[in-house]
Amino acid sequence: MGTDISGFLEYRVPQDDQDSIWYAAHGLSSLGEVRDYDAFGCLFGVRNYANFRPLAAGRGLPADASATVTERFAQLTEWYGEDGFHGTTWITWAEVKAVDWDEPAEKPDSRLHQFRQTSSGLRLTGKAAWSGDAFAEAVGLAAGEVREWPEGSEWLVGDTLYRSVTIRRRNAITETGEWQPVWKAMKELAEQHGDENVRLVVWFDD
């Protein structure tokens, strides 16, 4: 069973004489969100197989969430119960702007990276904790056993190269990847309302 993300972009208009109210601007689904575990782990600590220090994990639903988000959350709770979703949290555009995209994960990816030799060099074909009997036999891995592999460890099994790799934030969320429409929408809102006044509220379901 996989994990999917849902959420909304919110903004607020600063008020001098009263508390600011948050408003929903875009549903995450309208910006083309995808199932991307490296991004989930990097940003929110969910499915964090790559072992990042999460940027904004476990903050819960904002107490001052917009009416749209509050109503949606209440609806989901009524339909599925509080156990029907998890990992609720949020991150501001100011925090996204401050990210060091060259920061590496805290330790190597829990999944070995699999490569095949092509005419243009090695090509990444997948990631897995271990893959099939041939690899398990080559390294003496028992069925169901999980190991931490030192950075740079590699094995050539048949025509597949297995390598232990520590990835960086920019590998998880690329400059041309699926998260760019989200960042673009947040940036445009921030230009109107300020970096601290734009945030992404998310939750996950399995």
Short mmCIF file of all heavy atoms in Angstrom, two decimals, residues 76-104:
data_model
loop_
_atom_site.label_atom_id
_atom_site.label_comp_id
_atom_site.label_asym_id
_atom_site.label_seq_id
_atom_site.Cartn_x
_atom_site.Cartn_y
_atom_site.Cartn_z
N LEU A 76 -12.88 14.89 6.41
CA LEU A 76 -12.07 13.68 6.33
C LEU A 76 -12.13 12.89 7.63
O LEU A 76 -12.19 11.65 7.63
CB LEU A 76 -10.62 14.03 6.00
CG LEU A 76 -10.36 14.58 4.59
CD1 LEU A 76 -8.93 15.08 4.48
CD2 LEU A 76 -10.62 13.51 3.54
N THR A 77 -12.10 13.60 8.76
CA THR A 77 -12.18 12.93 10.06
C THR A 77 -13.52 12.22 10.21
O THR A 77 -13.58 11.09 10.73
CB THR A 77 -11.99 13.96 11.19
OG1 THR A 77 -10.73 14.60 11.05
CG2 THR A 77 -12.06 13.28 12.56
N GLU A 78 -14.59 12.84 9.74
CA GLU A 78 -15.92 12.22 9.80
C GLU A 78 -15.97 10.98 8.92
O GLU A 78 -16.56 9.96 9.31
CB GLU A 78 -16.97 13.23 9.36
CG GLU A 78 -18.39 12.68 9.42
CD GLU A 78 -19.43 13.70 8.97
OE1 GLU A 78 -19.06 14.88 8.76
OE2 GLU A 78 -20.60 13.32 8.82
N TRP A 79 -15.38 11.05 7.76
CA TRP A 79 -15.43 9.93 6.82
C TRP A 79 -14.54 8.76 7.24
O TRP A 79 -14.94 7.60 7.17
CB TRP A 79 -14.99 10.39 5.43
CG TRP A 79 -15.98 11.26 4.72
CD1 TRP A 79 -17.27 11.53 5.10
CD2 TRP A 79 -15.76 12.00 3.52
NE1 TRP A 79 -17.86 12.38 4.19
CE2 TRP A 79 -16.96 12.68 3.21
CE3 TRP A 79 -14.66 12.14 2.67
CZ2 TRP A 79 -17.08 13.50 2.09
CZ3 TRP A 79 -14.78 12.95 1.55
CH2 TRP A 79 -15.98 13.62 1.27
N TYR A 80 -13.29 9.08 7.64
CA TYR A 80 -12.29 8.05 7.81
C TYR A 80 -11.79 7.89 9.25
O TYR A 80 -11.04 6.96 9.53
CB TYR A 80 -11.08 8.34 6.92
CG TYR A 80 -11.44 8.49 5.46
CD1 TYR A 80 -11.30 9.72 4.82
CD2 TYR A 80 -11.93 7.42 4.73
CE1 TYR A 80 -11.63 9.87 3.48
CE2 TYR A 80 -12.27 7.55 3.39
CZ TYR A 80 -12.11 8.79 2.78
OH TYR A 80 -12.45 8.94 1.45
N GLY A 81 -12.19 8.79 10.15
CA GLY A 81 -11.67 8.76 11.51
C GLY A 81 -10.29 9.38 11.57
O GLY A 81 -9.65 9.62 10.54
N GLU A 82 -9.81 9.62 12.76
CA GLU A 82 -8.51 10.27 12.93
C GLU A 82 -7.36 9.40 12.47
O GLU A 82 -6.25 9.90 12.23
CB GLU A 82 -8.33 10.68 14.38
CG GLU A 82 -9.28 11.79 14.83
CD GLU A 82 -9.00 12.27 16.22
OE1 GLU A 82 -8.09 11.69 16.86
OE2 GLU A 82 -9.68 13.20 16.69
N ASP A 83 -7.59 8.08 12.35
CA ASP A 83 -6.53 7.18 11.88
C ASP A 83 -6.52 7.05 10.37
O ASP A 83 -5.69 6.32 9.82
CB ASP A 83 -6.70 5.79 12.51
CG ASP A 83 -6.51 5.82 14.02
OD1 ASP A 83 -5.77 6.71 14.50
OD2 ASP A 83 -7.11 4.97 14.71
N GLY A 84 -7.42 7.74 9.69
CA GLY A 84 -7.52 7.62 8.24
C GLY A 84 -6.46 8.42 7.50
O GLY A 84 -6.29 8.24 6.29
N PHE A 85 -5.77 9.29 8.20
CA PHE A 85 -4.70 10.06 7.59
C PHE A 85 -3.67 10.38 8.67
O PHE A 85 -3.93 10.20 9.86
CB PHE A 85 -5.24 11.34 6.93
CG PHE A 85 -6.18 12.12 7.80
CD1 PHE A 85 -5.73 13.12 8.63
CD2 PHE A 85 -7.55 11.84 7.79
CE1 PHE A 85 -6.60 13.84 9.43
CE2 PHE A 85 -8.43 12.54 8.59
CZ PHE A 85 -7.95 13.54 9.42
N HIS A 86 -2.51 10.86 8.27
CA HIS A 86 -1.42 11.04 9.23
C HIS A 86 -0.43 12.06 8.69
O HIS A 86 -0.55 12.54 7.56
CB HIS A 86 -0.71 9.70 9.48
CG HIS A 86 -0.09 9.10 8.24
ND1 HIS A 86 1.20 9.37 7.84
CD2 HIS A 86 -0.61 8.28 7.29
CE1 HIS A 86 1.45 8.71 6.73
NE2 HIS A 86 0.37 8.05 6.37
N GLY A 87 0.58 12.39 9.50
CA GLY A 87 1.66 13.26 9.07
C GLY A 87 1.27 14.70 8.80
O GLY A 87 1.98 15.41 8.09
N THR A 88 0.16 15.14 9.39
CA THR A 88 -0.31 16.51 9.13
C THR A 88 0.73 17.53 9.59
O THR A 88 1.23 17.46 10.72
CB THR A 88 -1.63 16.75 9.86
OG1 THR A 88 -2.57 15.75 9.49
CG2 THR A 88 -2.18 18.14 9.52
N THR A 89 1.04 18.48 8.72
CA THR A 89 2.06 19.47 9.03
C THR A 89 1.97 20.63 8.05
O THR A 89 1.08 20.65 7.19
CB THR A 89 3.47 18.82 9.02
OG1 THR A 89 4.41 19.72 9.59
CG2 THR A 89 3.89 18.43 7.61
N TRP A 90 2.88 21.57 8.16
CA TRP A 90 2.86 22.74 7.27
C TRP A 90 4.25 23.34 7.17
O TRP A 90 5.12 23.09 8.02
CB TRP A 90 1.88 23.79 7.80
CG TRP A 90 2.09 24.18 9.24
CD1 TRP A 90 1.53 23.57 10.33
CD2 TRP A 90 2.96 25.21 9.74
NE1 TRP A 90 1.98 24.17 11.49
CE2 TRP A 90 2.86 25.18 11.16
CE3 TRP A 90 3.78 26.15 9.13
CZ2 TRP A 90 3.58 26.05 11.96
CZ3 TRP A 90 4.50 27.03 9.94
CH2 TRP A 90 4.38 26.97 11.34
N ILE A 91 4.47 24.12 6.11
CA ILE A 91 5.74 24.78 5.90
C ILE A 91 5.49 26.11 5.20
O ILE A 91 4.64 26.20 4.32
CB ILE A 91 6.70 23.89 5.08
CG1 ILE A 91 8.11 24.50 5.04
CG2 ILE A 91 6.17 23.64 3.67
CD1 ILE A 91 9.16 23.55 4.46
N THR A 92 6.20 27.16 5.61
CA THR A 92 6.02 28.47 5.00
C THR A 92 6.95 28.64 3.80
O THR A 92 7.96 27.93 3.66
CB THR A 92 6.32 29.61 5.99
OG1 THR A 92 7.72 29.59 6.32
CG2 THR A 92 5.48 29.46 7.26
N TRP A 93 6.61 29.62 2.97
CA TRP A 93 7.48 29.93 1.83
C TRP A 93 8.83 30.45 2.32
O TRP A 93 9.87 30.18 1.71
CB TRP A 93 6.81 30.93 0.92
CG TRP A 93 7.67 31.34 -0.24
CD1 TRP A 93 8.12 32.60 -0.53
CD2 TRP A 93 8.20 30.49 -1.26
NE1 TRP A 93 8.91 32.58 -1.66
CE2 TRP A 93 8.97 31.29 -2.14
CE3 TRP A 93 8.10 29.12 -1.52
CZ2 TRP A 93 9.63 30.78 -3.26
CZ3 TRP A 93 8.76 28.60 -2.63
CH2 TRP A 93 9.52 29.42 -3.48
N ALA A 94 8.84 31.19 3.43
CA ALA A 94 10.10 31.67 3.99
C ALA A 94 11.03 30.50 4.31
O ALA A 94 12.25 30.57 4.06
CB ALA A 94 9.85 32.50 5.24
N GLU A 95 10.49 29.42 4.84
CA GLU A 95 11.31 28.24 5.15
C GLU A 95 11.80 27.56 3.89
O GLU A 95 12.95 27.10 3.82
CB GLU A 95 10.49 27.27 6.00
CG GLU A 95 10.21 27.77 7.40
CD GLU A 95 9.28 26.85 8.16
OE1 GLU A 95 8.15 26.61 7.70
OE2 GLU A 95 9.70 26.37 9.23
N VAL A 96 10.95 27.46 2.89
CA VAL A 96 11.36 26.85 1.62
C VAL A 96 12.50 27.66 1.00
O VAL A 96 13.49 27.10 0.51
CB VAL A 96 10.18 26.73 0.65
CG1 VAL A 96 10.65 26.22 -0.72
CG2 VAL A 96 9.11 25.80 1.21
N LYS A 97 12.37 28.99 1.02
CA LYS A 97 13.41 29.85 0.44
C LYS A 97 14.75 29.69 1.15
O LYS A 97 15.81 29.89 0.54
CB LYS A 97 12.98 31.32 0.51
CG LYS A 97 11.96 31.73 -0.53
CD LYS A 97 11.63 33.21 -0.43
CE LYS A 97 12.82 34.10 -0.72
NZ LYS A 97 12.45 35.54 -0.70
N ALA A 98 14.71 29.34 2.41
CA ALA A 98 15.94 29.25 3.21
C ALA A 98 16.62 27.88 3.11
O ALA A 98 17.70 27.68 3.70
CB ALA A 98 15.64 29.56 4.67
N VAL A 99 16.04 26.95 2.38
CA VAL A 99 16.57 25.58 2.32
C VAL A 99 17.95 25.57 1.64
O VAL A 99 18.16 26.21 0.61
CB VAL A 99 15.61 24.66 1.54
CG1 VAL A 99 16.27 23.29 1.31
CG2 VAL A 99 14.31 24.48 2.31
N ASP A 100 18.87 24.84 2.23
CA ASP A 100 20.15 24.54 1.59
C ASP A 100 19.96 23.27 0.78
O ASP A 100 19.99 22.16 1.32
CB ASP A 100 21.24 24.35 2.65
CG ASP A 100 22.57 23.92 2.05
OD1 ASP A 100 22.69 23.88 0.81
OD2 ASP A 100 23.49 23.60 2.83
N TRP A 101 19.76 23.42 -0.52
CA TRP A 101 19.44 22.26 -1.36
C TRP A 101 20.64 21.35 -1.56
O TRP A 101 20.49 20.23 -2.05
CB TRP A 101 18.87 22.74 -2.70
CG TRP A 101 17.56 23.42 -2.51
CD1 TRP A 101 17.30 24.75 -2.56
CD2 TRP A 101 16.31 22.79 -2.18
NE1 TRP A 101 15.98 25.01 -2.30
CE2 TRP A 101 15.34 23.83 -2.06
CE3 TRP A 101 15.91 21.47 -1.98
CZ2 TRP A 101 14.01 23.57 -1.75
CZ3 TRP A 101 14.57 21.21 -1.67
CH2 TRP A 101 13.64 22.25 -1.56
N ASP A 102 21.83 21.79 -1.16
CA ASP A 102 23.01 20.93 -1.24
C ASP A 102 23.22 20.11 0.04
O ASP A 102 24.14 19.30 0.10
CB ASP A 102 24.27 21.77 -1.49
CG ASP A 102 24.33 22.28 -2.92
OD1 ASP A 102 23.97 21.52 -3.84
OD2 ASP A 102 24.71 23.45 -3.12
N GLU A 103 22.36 20.30 1.03
CA GLU A 103 22.50 19.54 2.28
C GLU A 103 22.26 18.06 2.03
O GLU A 103 21.23 17.67 1.47
CB GLU A 103 21.51 20.05 3.33
CG GLU A 103 21.63 19.33 4.66
CD GLU A 103 20.58 19.79 5.67
OE1 GLU A 103 19.85 20.76 5.38
OE2 GLU A 103 20.49 19.16 6.74
N PRO A 104 23.20 17.20 2.46
CA PRO A 104 22.99 15.77 2.27
C PRO A 104 22.09 15.17 3.34
O PRO A 104 21.89 15.76 4.41
CB PRO A 104 24.41 15.20 2.40
CG PRO A 104 25.09 16.15 3.34
CD PRO A 104 24.51 17.52 3.04
#
